[in-house]
Amino acid sequence: MSASTPVAVVGVHGHGASHVRAVEALAARGLARLCALVDPRRPDDAGSPWFPTLGDLLSDPRADVRPEVVVLSTPIPTHLPLARAAMEAGLDVLLEKPTAASLAEHAAIVETAERTGRLCQVGFQTFGSHALDAVTELVADGEIGEVVGIGAVGTWVRTAGYWARAPWAGRRRLDGRDVVDGVVTNPLAHAVATMLRVGGARTAADVAHVVVDLHRANPIEADDTSSLRVVAADGRRYGAGLTLCAPERTPARVLVLGTDGEIALEYEHDRVTLRTPRLQVEKTYGRTPLLEDLLAVRADPVRRLACDVRETGAFMRVLEAVRTAPPPRAVAGEAVAWLGEGDDRRPVVDDVARWCEEAARTARTFTELGVPWAR
């Protein structure tokens, strides 16, 4: 293995552009080389060889364009076929979240990784945060007493332009295939996955039961305002309140609730706040980017991936519950205020931030809490 690992990025428009920049940053440190870009639409400023499909890249005989690692930043339904093709071709993979469009597809990706012996890291960036270890240590040290609950709160904003950005956006299915694009499984998937990780739920077997309560204020198929409860195999309960229809965007948080205080992790900023009757302490941590972590594991196989595909099974149990649930219920019109015009038009749901907080802290769904617009 060369010191400068050749990396190809598949899907370079939209979020994929950030992966291109990440490879370029690693290249500046001598850790990687951007050997190819793959996208049906040729980039305007392609500084590396371009291929319309991954198959075109893998069949090219030139050694200088052959990757050892591929980053897959592509629509959710393509994750399984592309990850499988890459690993069967002998490549290691960084796969954007969510891992797949169903629990069965997740199992197929895991099977491919185990059969081929290739690495498959999933792009839950939070898992590279050093703040996760800090939270674990605070809990282990008894700083908040006995843990009685873990929750996630996400009150974000998305406009009409967000839902119009791609044919699969806001869809549950497209062209006969599962998509499962909604607040729980895509934009605030990090909140759900991080909540489960903090509590020690990693694999599908770690989850005993999932209840989802899906709603939508936008004219889409998928959910944009939802609550859920997860009961782990060890009996621990997790609750989440998530929306893309808040009055304003606030930092998403994972809450660890104890008998003698609580910990709040603002995972977007790697910020941990400890609150007890005696003190309040806040600290910000660093993080290791997941592609850099993947390259480090390739160089030292004793190390473990920060977000191995096998350890996204608990999250996939939640996604499966969303996938198989009835379609989300429309929030009653009188509970929704519309702001803006055109692509900036967006709904705000009544008291949604308050109810998301309550769902996270009690592990009760909006319907169980008696939220007026969820009845």
Side-chain angles (χ1 to χ4, degrees), residues 167-222:
W168 53 268
R171 302 293 296 269
R172 288 169 63 85
R173 292 179 62 82
L174 180 65
D175 298 332
R177 298 191 62 185
D178 290 316
V179 175
V180 203
D181 179 49
V183 63
V184 174
T185 55
N186 198 357
L188 280 162
H190 293 290
V192 177
T194 305
M195 170 185 74
L196 295 169
R197 177 67 167 255
V198 164
R202 299 176 180 239
T203 69
D206 291 333
V207 173
H209 188 57
V210 181
V211 175
V212 296
D213 187 20
L214 311 178
H215 303 268
R216 60 169 181 83
N218 285 279
I220 57 175
E221 287 183 357

Side-chain angles (χ1 to χ4, degrees), residues 212-290:
V212 296
D213 187 20
L214 311 178
H215 303 268
R216 60 169 181 83
N218 285 279
I220 57 175
E221 287 183 357
D223 57 310
D224 57 35
T225 300
S226 294
S227 54
L228 61 94
R229 176 172 59 256
V230 177
V231 181
D234 62 6
R236 177 166 283 172
R237 292 161 60 92
Y238 303 77
L242 311 168
T243 186
L244 302 176
C245 304
E248 59 182 358
R249 174 170 174 156
T250 61
R253 291 170 291 132
V254 170
L255 304 174
V256 186
L257 309 173
T259 55
D260 194 28
E262 67 181 52
I263 301 166
L265 166 61
E266 294 181 10
Y267 62 80
E268 299 167 83
H269 308 294
D270 306 306
R271 184 179 302 126
V272 176
T273 303
L274 168 67
R275 297 185 183 91
T276 75
R278 302 171 302 281
L279 56 84
Q280 176 170 319
V281 180
E282 180 181 292
K283 185 175 180 180
T284 300
Y285 295 81
R287 70 166 61 186
T288 301
L290 293 181

Side-chain angles (χ1 to χ4, degrees), residues 99 106 122 124 127 202 307-316:
T99 315
H106 171 262
V122 179
F124 285 111
F127 286 26
R202 299 176 180 239
C307 190
D308 190 292
V309 65
R310 299 165 184 81
E311 297 192 344
T312 62
F315 169 80
M316 287 301 304

Side-chain angles (χ1 to χ4, degrees), residues 97-141:
K97 59 81 186 162
T99 315
S102 70
L103 192 60
E105 289 191 359
H106 171 262
I109 296 175
V110 170
E111 184 278 330
T112 304
E114 293 179 342
R115 171 168 47 84
T116 61
R118 305 318 306 176
L119 299 172
C120 184
Q121 176 107 287
V122 179
F124 285 111
Q125 300 107 314
T126 310
F127 286 26
S129 175
H130 308 159
L132 290 183
D133 291 336
V135 172
T136 300
E137 290 171 8
L138 288 170
V139 171
D141 291 343

